[in-house]
Amino acid sequence: MVLTASRYRTATGAGVIAALILVLVFGSPVYVDWANDNADTNTAGGWFLKLLTWPAWSFDADSSVQDVLAADLKAILLIIFTAVFLALSTNAQLGRARGTFSQLMAGWSGYIFAGAVAGLLTAFIRSDASLLGAFQAAGSGAIYGLFVGWIVGIATLGHYRGSTP
């Protein structure tokens, strides 16, 4: 009997790893600076490259402590909420089938919700916090999840979803 490595990985774990990589790479100050300097937001490709910077994290001494904390917490909460929403949506009720369209959609939608909730909650920490700003931050997080979440959805494909073997 030949066992594949994906048999022991869960869809939630694979999605969280994909989210972690997205946040660490594209939210890093190096990539954010590069995208700000080189991405032309008047083109679809440039807009997407700039969108990838949404969970930007930094340790910028020029910004207020509240804004730095909110940005860093947003990146952390995006990963945590991805784990929570993937665990809820890829549970046993989806069955044990692997590689199905529902598994892709569960990963994708989990990332959309994670982005929206992370944006909403961290907007209240910012120095210029307002209810309108929180709604706009949730919308930005949902847009980020919609256009980037397919990567997390693909990462969840073919992985074990149920709680029983």
Side-chain angles (χ1 to χ4, degrees):
M1 177 173 173
V2 176
L3 298 176
T4 62
S6 66
R7 175 167 168 78
Y8 296 106
R9 280 187 255 141
T10 65
T12 300
V16 169
I17 290 170
L20 180 65
I21 291 169
L22 286 168
V23 169
L24 287 177
V25 173
F26 297 109
S28 71
V30 173
Y31 179 79
V32 171
D33 290 342
W34 178 87
N36 288 336
D37 294 340
N38 297 307
D40 179 10
T41 56
N42 294 321
T43 65
W47 179 84
F48 183 73
L49 291 174
K50 184 80 168 143
L51 179 68
L52 287 170
T53 67
W54 182 80
W57 49 271
S58 71
F59 301 104
D60 187 10
D62 295 334
S63 297
S64 72
V65 173
Q66 288 173 301
D67 291 341
V68 170
L69 178 65
D72 294 348
L73 189 59
K74 178 175 65 174
I76 293 166
L77 286 178
L78 178 62
I79 296 166
I80 291 170
F81 285 133
T82 298
V84 169
F85 289 123
L86 284 176
L88 292 173
S89 64
T90 59
N91 208 347
Q93 74 267 18
L94 291 177
R96 290 175 33 186
R98 294 164 55 136
T100 62
F101 183 71
S102 64
Q103 199 167 6
L104 170 72
M105 294 307 294
W108 196 345
S109 64
Y111 206 58
I112 293 170
F113 288 124
V117 173
L120 179 71
L121 293 179
T122 57
F124 292 111
I125 299 172
R126 298 185 55 83
S127 60
D128 58 345
S130 69
L131 186 58
L132 175 61
F135 289 164
Q136 290 170 335
S140 296
I143 290 169
Y144 168 78
L146 179 65
F147 287 99
V148 180
W150 59 270
I151 298 168
V152 175
I154 288 174
T156 63
L157 283 175
H159 294 292
Y160 179 67
R161 292 184 292 178
S163 58
T164 58

